[in-house]
Amino acid sequence: MKYKQLTRKERYQISCLKRIGLKKKVIAKILGRHVSTIYRELKRNKDPRGYYYHSKAHKFAVSRRKNNGRRAIRISETTWGYITYKLEEQWSPEQISYFTGVSHEHIYQYIYKDKQQGGNLYVNLRQKRGHRRNKRLSRYQNRGRIVDGLRIDTRPNIVEKRGRIGDFEVDTIIGGNRKQALVTIVERKTGLALIKKVERKTAEEVKKAIISLLTNIKHRVKTITSDNGLEFAEHKAIA
């Protein structure tokens, strides 16, 4: 079986699960990865002090791949299938790139190649390159994404610099049965990790889990950052 590179999201999950003390074999089982992949990741992409932070680890890995020379990029059919599914769910190439590790430029090339071959993936783009948005597609704009969510680049710079306590990142890890999930919350500066299991990855269940995890420290919460998954659609109720 061909090896598939870890994504940024998987590195975030590894970081969360490691912080609560789970063994590498358990982390591998949760992520559906071989245990050697987890061992190698934690060994190769830790910082000079020996700590593993998902954001730094991802930068290390990307930099290493670039330094290995320009080689043809091979993307599995499974990954392209996932990309196609998310495009049809109205995800942007930039969003898909974040979770797959495939550059958004490759995804755009894939879309326009599909168009040249008579496909219609291009109609799912929120704004087509070089053209005004097609008004007939407006009814699709809110499918598969959070309504009234704030862009990540609008949050204060101090959050990105980890300059204070109180800025949290929230995510979900899907269980092996594809129904149950773990809701993970990590404080960016201290690395504090909070995790709660939910029976279903619905917006309502995830909302309850987040509120439950943060209730005792709600006075310290300044920001909460999530991706655009629909399980976070109740973000206003959490705020």
Side-chain angles (χ1 to χ4, degrees):
M1 181 180 294
K2 184 180 176 182
Y3 174 74
K4 179 183 175 184
Q5 296 286 347
L6 287 168
T7 65
R8 186 193 301 265
K9 184 180 180 72
E10 286 178 309
R11 290 190 168 96
Y12 171 82
Q13 294 170 343
I14 291 171
S15 180
C16 291
L17 297 174
K18 183 176 182 295
R19 288 180 189 280
I20 63 172
L22 294 187
K23 295 183 180 298
K24 298 178 182 67
K25 289 183 179 179
V26 177
I27 295 174
K29 185 175 181 180
I30 292 174
L31 268 63
R33 290 282 191 165
H34 194 279
V35 67
S36 64
T37 299
I38 307 302
Y39 272 97
R40 183 168 55 248
E41 173 65 19
L42 293 174
K43 180 179 180 180
R44 298 179 70 188
N45 293 325
K46 58 187 177 182
D47 70 10
R49 297 177 299 168
Y51 296 108
Y52 182 86
Y53 296 103
H54 68 280
S55 56
K56 290 183 179 179
H58 193 70
K59 289 179 181 178
F60 292 155
V62 170
S63 176
R64 188 181 300 108
R65 288 202 297 271
K66 288 181 178 178
N67 292 335
N68 284 338
R70 295 182 176 273
R71 294 180 292 181
I73 298 175
R74 297 180 180 178
I75 302 170
S76 70
E77 291 185 6
T78 300
T79 300
W80 282 126
Y82 176 81
I83 290 171
T84 300
Y85 169 72
K86 286 303 181 183
L87 285 170
E88 292 172 347
E89 288 288 306
Q90 294 290 295
W91 281 37
S92 71
E94 288 77 12
Q95 286 176 306
I96 298 171
S97 174
Y98 182 91
F99 290 102
T100 62
V102 178
S103 76
H104 64 275
E105 283 299 328
H106 275 89
I107 297 173
Y108 276 116
Q109 291 170 13
Y110 172 69
I111 293 169
Y112 286 101
K113 182 178 180 180
D114 175 77
K115 181 180 179 181
Q116 291 174 348
Q117 295 174 346
N120 61 359
L121 284 177
Y122 71 95
V123 303
N124 296 296
L125 292 178
R126 295 173 192 170
Q127 185 165 349
K128 294 178 285 186
R129 287 181 173 179
H131 298 278
R132 296 180 64 184
R133 183 176 297 171
N134 190 328
K135 293 181 180 179
R136 291 180 299 174
L137 301 178
S138 62
R139 66 182 181 275
Y140 297 115
Q141 289 178 354
N142 292 327
R143 182 188 298 174
R145 63 190 180 101
I146 295 177
V147 178
D148 296 329
L150 297 177
R151 291 173 56 88
I152 194 170
D153 54 13
T154 63
R155 67 184 183 181
N157 289 333
I158 194 172
V159 178
E160 191 64 30
K161 295 179 180 179
R162 305 176 191 270
R164 66 183 181 187
I165 295 175
D167 298 305
F168 294 82
E169 290 184 355
V170 60
D171 204 349
T172 54
I173 302 174
I174 308 301
N177 60 8
R178 311 301 297 176
K179 293 181 180 179
Q180 296 176 330
L182 296 177
V183 176
T184 66
I185 303 177
V186 176
E187 201 284 316
R188 289 177 60 83
K189 182 176 177 62
T190 64
L192 170 70
L194 306 170
I195 296 182
K196 188 176 182 65
K197 178 182 176 182
V198 293
E199 293 301 319
R200 295 180 300 159
K201 199 186 74 168
T202 63
E204 182 66 21
E205 290 289 320
V206 171
K207 177 195 73 174
K208 291 179 180 178
I210 294 173
I211 292 175
S212 173
L213 288 170
L214 293 177
T215 293
N216 292 335
I217 56 173
K218 61 183 180 181
H219 60 287
R220 302 299 300 270
V221 177
K222 293 182 173 63
T223 65
I224 302 175
T225 301
S226 72
D227 60 40
N228 283 331
L230 289 181
E231 65 268 32
F232 301 116
E234 292 288 339
H235 63 96
K236 285 189 173 182
I238 296 170

